[in-house]
Amino acid sequence: QLYGQRNLTHELVITREGMLMFPEIGPVSVAGLSYQELRDQIQNIVANQLIGQNASVTMGALRSINVFVLGEAVQPGSYTVSSLSTMTNALFASGGVTRVGSLRNVRLMRTGELVTELDLYDLLLRGDTSGDARLLPGDVIFIPTIGKTVGIAGEVRRPAIYELKDETSPADILALSGGLNPTAFPSASRIERITQGGQRTVVDVDLSPGSAPDPTLLDGDVIQVFSILDQVESIVMLEGHVQRPGSFEWRDGMRVSDVIPSIGDMLPNPDLDYALIARETQPTRRIELLYVNLGQAIASPGSAADIALQPRDQVLTFGASQSRQQQVSGLLNRLRSQSTFESPPLIVSIAGNVRFPGDYPLVQGMSLDDAIRFAGGLETNTDLDYLLLERRIDRRGSIEVTQNTLDPQTLRANAPMALQELDRVLVFNVNQPREALMADTLQRLRNQTAFRRAPEVVSIDGNVRFPGSYPLHRNSDLGDLLQASGGLSEETDLEYVLLEREINDLGDIDVLKIDLDPQTLRPLVPFPLQERDRLLVFGANAAREGQLNSTLEKLRRQADTTTPTRIVSVLGNVRFPGSYPLHRDLDVADLI
């Protein structure tokens, strides 16, 4: 654009010979000039030859050239590009390099001769474009197949498969990958290699700075950089009902009061009587559990209650009015995962009339009273005279059941006992039936019955509060069964109580009459129970024959031609006429 004496605009095209045909001046040679040099030259010519005129030069449309992109390009072929295009412009136009194309040796061919080679790693990894040559018409960009490759995986910033050029050592590949992550453990790195014999092998290598010289890499090697261990050392973890749970730095002589110095560090309404320490035993790191009286530990720092902590101890605290199941769930999972056939998980369970029934960790020296305390204590209307403990007695899972009672004043067990792995405590409500709570226990007792051995189960029917089946525990007698069933109901006939007992493997039975003390409502003489015993208690004002039907049918079935049916009948003007079992020493007066 000329301005001054005259205002003119010219659109001029540079010829293939590099000449610019300038009106009123003539041809101007601009071949080989940069745009800035061309603009300065035109401005000088106008100022010197066109008096009173000035020039403003701008770039118009560039001419196009044809080049070829061949080899391992995504879309090889001929492309029309700008005359100022470089090798990378043509590569972008062709869609880039295929998965099997080389990024290290992209060649620029001109009239059949190699002009230069482009290493795309310089551009992609370092931003260096010095090797990106300008294209001329007819140039050929050839992408050969990929050369030797090495993979690197694991704790590096840019894990990938890299093509080798001048790299020969793992340190060179590590530099290509951007270096190690902070979580890397370079001294335990490995090279997975395929030998000349076609076998896979592993070569250990230390990628730490200043380590021994690295081995030479081979085609197909894969470098694996492992991470440091996830576990954190030299800490103490605090969880549960506290204001600031988390990890604390462990130091020598550290105690519970150092992580919980005061009650103010806990949430409202804490359980100060019960806390746990989960401790890893070396070298297996199996979990063992310790009981902590948190109130005493805070009140008396340095005392025996203020337990000394070890590295990686986990302190669990609880709220007095909150369920503990969510807080101990993670600990229970760890205890289950470390168990084996020979070593059952350190877990006990408590069910029934307690505040927070469920599974709990087994603490060293844990007693029946501790388990009840851990479960939040007893609920109202607990039957203190009947409490069951189910215990595994062999590796097959066979169980035995023992009975215990609680002192009404202290609410502690009258027969203290230490708990074992997989113990199950059953606490009953004095006003609720028991069979639903005992269903699993009764089923296990029935399932573990061996050949020619009856299940350790007894039952009671009739005029009791909770008739049904009950476990037969060691040294149990008929009075215990009456106690387990909740005791006698009102208007019970104390002079007529029967016990049905099996006398052989065929299911034959004998019927015994039991005498109860009118004052204690227990047998006058202790009467030990046997498997499958069935106690029949009758109401004073209720007919008996319906309740006796099962017993009478068994007596009829076991009779034969030599043994008459052991049944007698009474008819006429009596309150409950009908058939009755013939038990030992029965006379007419007893029958009436």
Side-chain angles (χ1 to χ4, degrees):
Q1 183 179 11
L2 300 177
Y3 59 93
Q5 292 182 350
R6 294 183 301 168
N7 293 326
L8 299 173
T9 301
H10 301 290
E11 292 185 1
L12 306 179
V13 178
I14 301 174
T15 66
R16 291 186 178 276
E17 292 78 19
M19 303 300 291
L20 185 66
M21 305 307 294
F22 205 109
E24 300 181 14
I25 293 178
V28 178
S29 178
V30 296
L33 298 182
S34 67
Y35 171 68
Q36 181 65 40
E37 293 171 340
L38 178 144
R39 185 171 59 180
D40 293 342
Q41 180 176 340
I42 291 177
Q43 289 175 345
N44 290 335
I45 292 174
V46 170
N48 293 330
Q49 298 186 27
L50 299 178
I51 304 304
Q53 294 286 92
N54 293 308
S56 175
V57 182
T58 59
M59 182 77 73
L62 299 175
R63 69 186 179 92
S64 300
I65 61 174
N66 289 326
V67 296
F68 294 92
V69 182
L70 304 176
E72 295 300 329
V74 173
Q75 293 179 334
S78 175
Y79 289 89
T80 300
V81 296
S82 168
S83 60
L84 298 181
S85 296
T86 61
M87 296 176 67
T88 54
N89 298 132
L91 288 175
F92 290 141
S94 67
V97 181
T98 65
R99 294 179 60 89
V100 296
S102 173
L103 296 177
R104 309 299 301 269
N105 299 296
V106 180
R107 301 170 187 171
L108 176 60
M109 311 292 292
R110 186 171 295 158
T111 63
E113 296 182 357
L114 178 64
V115 177
T116 185
E117 287 185 348
L118 173 62
D119 186 351
L120 286 175
Y121 277 25
D122 293 336
L123 174 65
L124 299 175
L125 301 182
R126 305 178 187 91
D128 183 3
T129 60
S130 60
D132 193 11
R134 184 78 60 82
L135 298 177
L136 295 179
D139 280 355
V140 175
I141 299 174
F142 180 74
I143 306 173
T145 56
I146 194 170
K148 294 182 179 180
T149 59
V150 168
I152 186 168
E155 294 299 318
V156 292
R157 299 190 185 277
R158 195 167 44 237
I161 299 174
Y162 292 93
E163 184 181 358
L164 300 181
K165 188 175 183 182
D166 300 324
E167 297 82 12
T168 59
S169 67
D172 297 332
I173 304 301
L174 190 61
L176 291 178
S177 68
L180 298 169
N181 289 331
T183 55
F185 189 65
S187 59
S189 302
R190 297 175 186 170
I191 299 177
E192 298 177 5
R193 174 171 294 172
I194 299 176
T195 65
Q196 294 181 351
Q199 297 178 342
R200 292 187 180 272
T201 186
V202 174
V203 178
D204 292 331
V205 61
D206 187 355
L207 297 181
S208 303
S211 59
D214 297 335
T216 302
L217 294 175
L218 301 179
D219 187 16
D221 282 355
V222 177
I223 304 171
Q224 181 71 45
V225 182
F226 295 97
S227 67
I228 60 175
L229 300 179
D230 291 335
Q231 62 192 24
V232 183
E233 301 294 340
S234 298
I235 63 168
V236 171
M237 292 162 283
L238 177 62
E239 299 180 10
H241 199 74
V242 290
Q243 298 280 6
R244 291 178 289 274
S247 299
F248 295 80
E249 178 187 4
W250 178 84
R251 61 183 182 273
D252 192 21
M254 191 175 191
R255 293 179 177 270
V256 173
S257 60
D258 294 320
V259 295
I260 310 178
S262 68
I263 299 178
D265 292 308
M266 306 190 70
L267 295 174
N269 196 22
D271 188 344
L272 297 178
D273 294 332
Y274 212 97
L276 288 182
I277 295 178
R279 175 166 294 170
E280 295 180 351
T281 58
Q282 300 298 332
T284 60
R285 296 197 177 224
R286 290 177 62 87
I287 299 296
E288 66 176 12
L289 299 157
L290 305 175
Y291 159 74
V292 180
N293 189 313
L294 200 55
Q296 294 182 11
I298 295 174
S300 304
S303 64
D306 190 15
I307 298 176
L309 299 176
Q310 297 182 8
R312 293 188 56 80
D313 275 358
Q314 180 183 6
V315 182
L316 287 88
T317 61
F318 305 94
S321 58
Q322 294 179 348
S323 175
R324 288 89 195 274
Q325 292 304 297
Q326 183 176 0
Q327 292 175 241
V328 300
S329 60
L331 185 57
L332 293 175
N333 291 334
R334 293 185 65 184
L335 292 173
R336 292 187 180 100
S337 65
Q338 74 181 22
S339 64
T340 62
F341 182 71
E342 293 80 9
S343 301
L346 297 173
I347 296 175
V348 296
S349 64
I350 183 167
N353 208 51
V354 291
R355 295 187 67 192
F356 310 120
D359 293 339
Y360 290 94
L362 176 62
V363 184
Q364 288 184 357
M366 190 176 193
S367 67
L368 182 62
D369 299 321
D370 295 330
I372 295 175
R373 180 67 189 85
F374 201 173
L378 301 171
E379 290 277 29
T380 57
N381 299 324
T382 296
D383 189 347
L384 303 180
D385 294 326
Y386 189 66
L387 184 144
L388 295 183
L389 174 66
E390 174 190 312
R391 172 165 292 172
R392 199 176 77 154
I393 57 176
D394 58 34
R395 295 179 179 178
R396 296 177 300 176
S398 300
I399 63 170
E400 70 174 4
V401 179
T402 57
Q403 179 185 347
N404 210 323
T405 58
L406 301 179
D407 189 296
Q409 303 300 324
T410 64
L411 299 181
R412 303 184 68 86
N414 289 319
M417 60 177 65
L419 298 184
Q420 300 179 6
E421 301 92 338
L422 299 179
D423 277 356
R424 183 167 179 255
V425 180
L426 302 180
V427 182
F428 300 93
N429 187 306
V430 72
N431 296 320
Q432 294 179 359
R434 284 90 191 276
E435 198 159 8
L437 185 59
M438 295 187 300
D440 182 67
T441 302
L442 294 172
Q443 187 60 44
R444 295 182 67 180
L445 289 172
R446 295 185 179 104
N447 292 343
Q448 72 187 29
T449 303
F451 178 66
R452 300 172 95 48
R453 177 185 172 188
E456 295 179 343
V457 177
V458 293
S459 60
I460 183 170
D461 292 328
N463 211 48
V464 292
R465 297 188 65 198
F466 308 119
S469 298
Y470 290 86
L472 175 65
H473 51 83
R474 188 180 307 169
N475 299 325
S476 61
D477 62 12
L478 194 144
D480 297 327
L481 179 58
L482 288 171
Q483 180 64 49
S485 65
L488 302 175
S489 298
E490 295 181 358
E491 298 182 350
T492 297
D493 188 349
L494 300 180
E495 297 182 358
Y496 191 64
V497 177
L498 298 183
L499 179 71
E500 176 189 311
R501 171 167 291 175
E502 291 189 1
I503 56 177
N504 56 35
D505 297 334
L506 301 177
D508 294 344
I509 63 169
D510 191 12
V511 178
L512 308 174
K513 181 176 179 296
I514 305 299
D515 296 321
L516 297 182
D517 189 329
Q519 303 299 324
T520 63
L521 301 181
R522 298 177 70 89
L524 292 173
V525 178
F527 195 92
L529 293 175
Q530 297 180 8
E531 297 86 349
R532 287 183 176 171
D533 276 356
R534 178 170 174 251
L535 186 65
L536 301 176
V537 181
F538 301 94
N541 298 313
R544 287 90 191 276
E545 194 166 11
Q547 192 174 338
L548 288 169
N549 282 341
S550 174
T551 303
L552 297 174
E553 183 60 32
K554 292 177 183 179
L555 291 173
R556 295 187 183 100
R557 189 171 56 247
Q558 72 189 42
D560 55 29
T561 55
T562 59
T563 304
T565 305
R566 300 181 57 207
I567 297 175
V568 294
S569 300
V570 56
L571 304 175
N573 199 31
V574 292
R575 296 184 62 197
F576 308 122
S579 299
Y580 290 85
L582 176 61
H583 55 78
R584 191 176 306 165
D585 299 327
L586 179 67
D587 59 18
V588 174
D590 295 327
L591 179 61
I592 295 175

